Amino acid sequence: MGSSMKLILLLVLAFLYFEAVVSAVTPLQFQHPLDPLTKEEITTVQTIVRTKYPTSKNSLTFHYIGLDDPDKTSVLTWEHSMLGAITIARKSFAIVIINGETHEILIDLRLKIILSDKIHTGHGFPTLSVEDQSAAILLPLSHEPFKESIKKRGLNLSEVVCSTFTVGWYGEANSKRSLRVDCFMKETTVNIYVRPISELYILVDLDLMKIVEYHDRATRPVPTADNTDYRFSNQQPPFGPKQHSLASHQPQGPGFQIKGHSISWANWKFHIGFDSRAGVVLSLASIYDLEKHKSRRVMYRGFISELFVPYQDPSEDWYFKTFFDAGEFGFGLSTVSMQPNRDCPSHAQFLDVFVHTNDGSPSLLNNAICVFEQYGDIMWRHTETGIPNETILESRSEVNLIVRSVVTVGNYDNIIDWQFKASGSIKPAIALSGILEIKPVEAKHKSEIKIDEHGTLVSANSVGIYHDHFYIYHLDLDIDGVENSFEQTNLKTVRVTDGSSKRKSYWTVETKTANTESDGKITIGMAPAELAIVNPNKKTAVGNDVGYRLIPGATAHPLLTEDDYPQIRGAFTNHNVWVTPYNISQKWAGGLYVDQSRGEDTLAVWTQKNRNIKNTDIVLWHVVGIHHVPAQEDFPIMPLLSTGFELRPTNFFERNPVLKTLSPNDLTWPGCPK
């Protein structure tokens, strides 16, 4: 071969090599470091683990595959650098049960190697897989004692469906990975949860995938199916009340832009991530300050860390129903597809995500997240009639941005919103719908109930059991930087005793800065107070610390005793507010392993160290609770029950940041650029 031909061949090979390198590196190089795992990345995790532990020789089930949180400092550096100027390693953290042992496996997705592989030896088990639950609910249908129980009750086995329930922990020395199974009648209705077959004890060993305990204690009638089906096709007239249609139209198009998983809207920028346990994760939220001509950080990361749902019936059929929905079932794994024009308005835009199955395969979840603008509220207004011969009316209508997802765990649907306001506020909100947990009783009228049935008679033979919903938010606020402090401003009454005023009293404020974690544990409602995260290193022009205030909604406090087993596991609800120093490994308030946990790895345990939280990188944890006393209006399916809170700028801006903001339909304004 001549030298010229060799040169050409070398150039071709070099070009092909360059193309291969670029095609392999470029997508990752320009990938946002907080993007959820892609289909290819989940497959990579599956392949790497299966290569080390071939399925021909090993039993493998994947219970968690997620993005391993990158170093926070590196992410902030990446964000402020030019796109692609630095590269952050993409890693995945996986929890896999291999031959009965729980492995914690850390994988470098770029190098495609296992960085560490540790076996969990403590208490608790990983998040349940959908496939485990699907297999468990079929077991009773072929279990002969169960068939006899159904026959004894005069029920049709072909109309029986079952559901899984976690067993909790009640002081047992040893525990196995197991589930309780309850069964229901779907005959003439799809509203299965209101038709339980009671007094059956079914315990499934998940590793053996078989029923290991079965008891039939008594027989209670199954509540009637009459008027329980919620499908429109099965409703009978009269219908109403009538709602008139609304045509949703944005003549200028949407006011937000989605690039990958990054959102730009009005004066906000943030990133939408997704995790198989947490569900939606919002990160890097910053707001543009018109006067300072720059974007200013508000929140590094926010998500729901756990949901604790203890039912309040201590009987054998019910005592174990004390659920931790995020840690036991996975908020991400339980996220459902949303319907355009139903769950989200017609002008919403949707994001798809990938979750994993128990064999490690990626599974596409369409319409997992929707983003849309909401119209109709007032931003600010004033009518001035105090000036003689003049009336001044100034009003601005508001547009808000909503990020929404729906998490359905068993009988309940959790509608989870993050609302962003141009005024600087972030308003997380939760709305509950779905179906009550029903206990069958003999009574058809309240007057027939002679004992505490631990609930409300919502229909004949049907008691809706009292229960709680405690959501705890992980809010890594970075107010104008990472060095922040937590302030409690108490409102106190002062008596006038020196005769200086005709008044006898007034109130004023006294602000205290929390030094350690014990100072940051707040039970809201004990005394009037303002709670804020401030940056003591940044001042306004008049000298106030810049900050954001927590404005809670209706508060709820746990009513279980602190030594009760569910409350030991859910001790993170003992206070409405906690403040901790940032720790990359402390993001699950109920611990990494929640199923049958013993309360040894919770927010309440971490804060016993009483670490410094003053002028450092801190995380605000906020518990949003609902004590749910069921009512007849909640039956057979409940209208939305809502709660939430607000993170509101407090001396963050020099003045009202939307003073010069136009209403959507104000196309021209003196001095405003066209």
Side-chain angles (χ1 to χ4, degrees), residues 489-494 506-510:
T489 300
N490 296 311
L491 281 61
K492 64 177 186 177
T493 300
V494 179
Y506 62 94
W507 65 260
T508 188
V509 300
E510 181 181 71

Side-chain angles (χ1 to χ4, degrees), residues 59-63 95-102 120 124-133 135-136 165-168 174-180 203-210 212 328 358 593-596:
S59 170
L60 280 72
T61 54
F62 291 78
H63 292 262
I95 298 177
V96 190
I97 296 181
I98 304 173
N99 302 327
E101 293 183 316
T102 300
H120 168 64
F125 298 104
T127 301
L128 295 162
S129 71
V130 174
E131 290 79 4
D132 271 349
Q133 297 174 71
F165 298 84
T166 49
V167 300
N174 299 302
S175 54
K176 292 184 177 181
R177 212 166 63 91
S178 55
L179 284 172
R180 288 277 294 262
L203 183 68
V204 172
D205 184 314
L206 290 175
D207 293 324
L208 300 175
M209 197 49 72
K210 64 180 293 187
V212 291
E328 292 176 339
N358 76 334
Y593 298 96
V594 178
D595 183 25
Q596 299 181 57

Side-chain angles (χ1 to χ4, degrees), residues 428-568:
I430 300 155
L432 285 167
S433 187
I435 301 159
L436 298 172
E437 287 264 19
I438 294 295
K439 178 171 73 172
V441 294
E442 300 286 350
K444 297 182 182 296
H445 190 274
K446 183 178 179 179
S447 62
E448 301 171 32
I449 297 178
K450 306 302 181 184
I451 60 173
D452 186 356
E453 292 288 5
H454 312 289
T456 304
L457 189 69
V458 293
S459 185
N461 308 118
S462 303
V463 166
I465 300 297
Y466 307 138
H467 59 283
D468 300 312
H469 303 264
F470 289 111
Y471 303 81
I472 182 165
Y473 282 79
H474 174 286
L475 302 164
D476 182 4
L477 301 179
D478 286 351
I479 308 303
D480 234 359
V482 296
E483 286 82 22
N484 288 180
S485 294
F486 176 65
E487 287 186 350
Q488 180 175 354
T489 300
N490 296 311
L491 281 61
K492 64 177 186 177
T493 300
V494 179
R495 291 193 66 85
V496 179
T497 59
D498 60 1
S500 60
S501 172
K502 293 184 179 181
R503 290 271 295 274
K504 293 185 177 182
S505 65
Y506 62 94
W507 65 260
T508 188
V509 300
E510 181 181 71
T511 299
K512 295 181 179 180
T513 301
N515 292 308
T516 62
E517 289 175 288
S518 62
D519 301 327
K521 298 176 183 179
I522 306 296
T523 302
I524 295 174
M526 302 298 288
E530 301 286 324
L531 306 174
I533 299 290
V534 302
N535 188 328
N537 312 292
K538 303 286 181 70
K539 309 286 184 183
T540 62
V542 298
N544 291 312
D545 291 344
V546 302
Y548 259 70
R549 185 174 15 154
L550 170 67
I551 301 179
T555 58
H557 309 125
L559 298 174
L560 300 180
T561 60
E562 290 193 8
D563 64 344
D564 196 359
Y565 294 107
Q567 194 59 35
I568 291 172

Side-chain angles (χ1 to χ4, degrees), residues 126-401:
T127 301
L128 295 162
S129 71
V130 174
E131 290 79 4
D132 271 349
Q133 297 174 71
S134 298
I137 63 176
L138 297 177
L139 294 176
L141 304 181
S142 59
H143 190 62
E144 290 302 325
F146 179 79
K147 292 181 179 179
E148 287 298 318
S149 296
I150 296 303
K151 182 178 180 181
K152 179 177 69 175
R153 287 166 170 77
L155 304 175
N156 184 351
L157 183 65
S158 65
E159 297 294 331
V160 174
V161 293
C162 301
S163 185
T164 56
F165 298 84
T166 49
V167 300
W169 173 71
Y170 294 89
E172 299 90 350
N174 299 302
S175 54
K176 292 184 177 181
R177 212 166 63 91
S178 55
L179 284 172
R180 288 277 294 262
V181 176
D182 283 359
C183 298
F184 309 86
M185 292 300 296
K186 67 179 177 66
E187 194 173 34
T188 72
T189 181
V190 296
N191 197 342
I192 60 171
Y193 292 103
V194 303
R195 304 201 67 213
I197 305 169
S198 62
E199 303 295 337
L200 297 177
Y201 177 91
I202 307 171
L203 183 68
V204 172
D205 184 314
L206 290 175
D207 293 324
L208 300 175
M209 197 49 72
K210 64 180 293 187
I211 295 173
V212 291
E213 286 189 51
Y214 182 84
H215 305 289
D216 185 348
R217 293 184 295 272
T219 300
R220 285 192 184 187
V222 176
T224 177
D226 295 347
N227 300 314
T228 63
D229 202 314
Y230 47 80
R231 293 173 295 179
F232 182 76
S233 59
N234 284 30
Q235 304 301 313
Q236 300 296 324
F239 297 108
K242 184 178 180 181
Q243 300 185 100
H244 287 240
S245 61
L246 170 68
S248 178
H249 177 54
Q250 294 180 294
Q252 298 169 294
F256 60 89
Q257 291 183 328
I258 302 179
K259 185 177 181 180
H261 286 263
S262 295
I263 309 292
S264 299
W265 172 79
N267 45 1
W268 282 101
K269 291 183 179 180
F270 58 92
H271 179 271
I272 302 178
F274 191 85
D275 179 81
S276 65
R277 176 162 172 174
V280 170
V281 180
L282 297 188
S283 303
L284 299 174
S286 62
I287 188 167
Y288 187 79
D289 189 324
L290 195 63
E291 295 197 11
K292 295 184 181 295
H293 307 292
K294 66 176 184 179
S295 288
R296 302 169 66 190
R297 170 85 68 248
V298 175
M299 184 174 71
Y300 178 71
R301 180 167 288 189
F303 59 90
I304 295 177
S305 177
E306 192 53 83
L307 167 56
F308 178 35
V309 188
Y311 281 79
Q312 302 303 316
D313 187 334
S315 66
E316 184 65 28
D317 269 1
W318 286 87
Y319 77 89
F320 61 93
K321 294 186 177 183
T322 54
F323 307 119
F324 295 80
D325 284 356
E328 292 176 339
F329 299 99
F331 255 33
L333 294 176
S334 302
T335 297
V336 297
S337 297
M338 290 180 288
Q339 298 183 66
N341 296 315
R342 294 288 188 273
D343 299 314
C344 307
S346 59
H347 59 274
Q349 294 187 27
F350 290 85
L351 293 173
D352 303 334
V353 297
F354 282 93
V355 294
H356 62 86
T357 62
N358 76 334
D359 70 354
S361 300
S363 176
L364 178 64
L365 178 60
N366 290 303
N367 294 357
I369 304 164
C370 73
V371 183
F372 61 92
E373 288 166 296
Q374 186 181 70
Y375 296 79
D377 289 338
I378 296 172
M379 181 182 289
W380 62 264
R381 76 172 324 282
H382 180 61
T383 301
E384 181 57 68
T385 59
I387 301 174
N389 303 317
E390 189 172 1
T391 298
I392 299 171
L393 170 61
E394 286 286 322
S395 179
R396 302 288 184 272
S397 60
E398 185 173 55
V399 180
N400 298 316
L401 186 74

